[in-house]
Amino acid sequence: ALRANTVRLTGLTPGTTYYYQVGSEGNWSEIRTFTTVPQDASTTSFFVLGDIQTDNTANLAAVTQRLAENTYDFGIQTGDAIDGVNKLGQWRGFLTVLNSKELHGADLIHTMGNHEYYGDADGTISGTIYDLPESAQNSWYQMEYGNVCVVVVNNGSDLAGAMEDISKNLNTSCAWKVLVAHQPVYGTNEPLTGETLSRVTAAVEAAGFDVVFGGDDH
């Protein structure tokens, strides 16, 4: 249904605006921009979106219009952005509303929710479209912007195990640590209980997270 192409940029200068186009001869996109975080950034600004999963993107379009009123270094999507990942029409609607142009070049950090794995147990489809460093269930990865480290846990059946791995292996010098997991630590939809809750909260504290965002409750 589609071909996914990826370009890796290295050696970028902090605090610099870059201009780019994508496409091929005779079929180029409009010129887009993105700005790297300054080396000495004293503040970092980001937004959070959760459980979009709808065919009707009117509300999402209204959100992006509000976001355009301010400037953000990045955004976080907490999972279940797409209801059915095998439906190209849903991806088309989602990406038409939520893209580099509408977000004015701000990066969007994606979390794999349970819906990202429906019909695609390995997360290959969503992982490719989101361009994630890790997309398997229970996997995790980190992104750093200025003084903020964002750690993402992809949805799976062993949040406690993933969190314990993070507490042992997370390596960052950022002053602020933000954790994002689709399954909320405290929630109303299949909440964590008993030993699992104790293991997760202990690992969150051991890793030194300042803020935790979850999805799934909607």
mmCIF file of all heavy atoms in Angstrom, residues 24 51 61 118 136 214:
data_model
loop_
_atom_site.group_PDB
_atom_site.id
_atom_site.type_symbol
_atom_site.label_atom_id
_atom_site.label_comp_id
_atom_site.label_asym_id
_atom_site.label_seq_id
_atom_site.Cartn_x
_atom_site.Cartn_y
_atom_site.Cartn_z
ATOM 1 N N SER A 24 10.586 13.524 -5.331
ATOM 2 C CA SER A 24 11.472 13.156 -6.431
ATOM 3 C C SER A 24 11.251 14.147 -7.566
ATOM 4 O O SER A 24 10.383 15.023 -7.482
ATOM 5 C CB SER A 24 11.186 11.724 -6.903
ATOM 6 O OG SER A 24 9.828 11.599 -7.299
ATOM 7 N N ASP A 51 -4.568 8.670 22.911
ATOM 8 C CA ASP A 51 -5.675 7.845 22.414
ATOM 9 C C ASP A 51 -6.536 8.574 21.380
ATOM 10 O O ASP A 51 -7.729 8.790 21.588
ATOM 11 C CB ASP A 51 -6.530 7.374 23.590
ATOM 12 C CG ASP A 51 -5.781 6.395 24.475
ATOM 13 O OD1 ASP A 51 -4.964 6.844 25.304
ATOM 14 O OD2 ASP A 51 -5.994 5.183 24.317
ATOM 15 N N ALA A 61 -7.877 18.108 14.367
ATOM 16 C CA ALA A 61 -7.540 19.311 13.600
ATOM 17 C C ALA A 61 -7.686 20.557 14.461
ATOM 18 O O ALA A 61 -6.868 21.485 14.386
ATOM 19 C CB ALA A 61 -8.428 19.412 12.359
ATOM 20 N N TYR A 118 -2.772 -4.528 17.067
ATOM 21 C CA TYR A 118 -3.894 -5.334 16.579
ATOM 22 C C TYR A 118 -3.662 -5.692 15.115
ATOM 23 O O TYR A 118 -3.544 -4.821 14.253
ATOM 24 C CB TYR A 118 -5.205 -4.561 16.716
ATOM 25 C CG TYR A 118 -5.727 -4.457 18.128
ATOM 26 C CD1 TYR A 118 -6.835 -3.669 18.429
ATOM 27 C CD2 TYR A 118 -5.138 -5.149 19.167
ATOM 28 C CE1 TYR A 118 -7.323 -3.561 19.726
ATOM 29 C CE2 TYR A 118 -5.616 -5.058 20.469
ATOM 30 C CZ TYR A 118 -6.699 -4.265 20.739
ATOM 31 O OH TYR A 118 -7.174 -4.158 22.026
ATOM 32 N N ALA A 136 8.854 -3.399 19.163
ATOM 33 C CA ALA A 136 8.322 -4.661 19.675
ATOM 34 C C ALA A 136 7.575 -4.431 20.987
ATOM 35 O O ALA A 136 7.822 -3.444 21.696
ATOM 36 C CB ALA A 136 9.461 -5.654 19.895
ATOM 37 N N GLY A 214 0.543 8.480 30.934
ATOM 38 C CA GLY A 214 -0.044 7.238 30.457
ATOM 39 C C GLY A 214 -1.166 7.533 29.487
ATOM 40 O O GLY A 214 -1.596 8.677 29.347
#
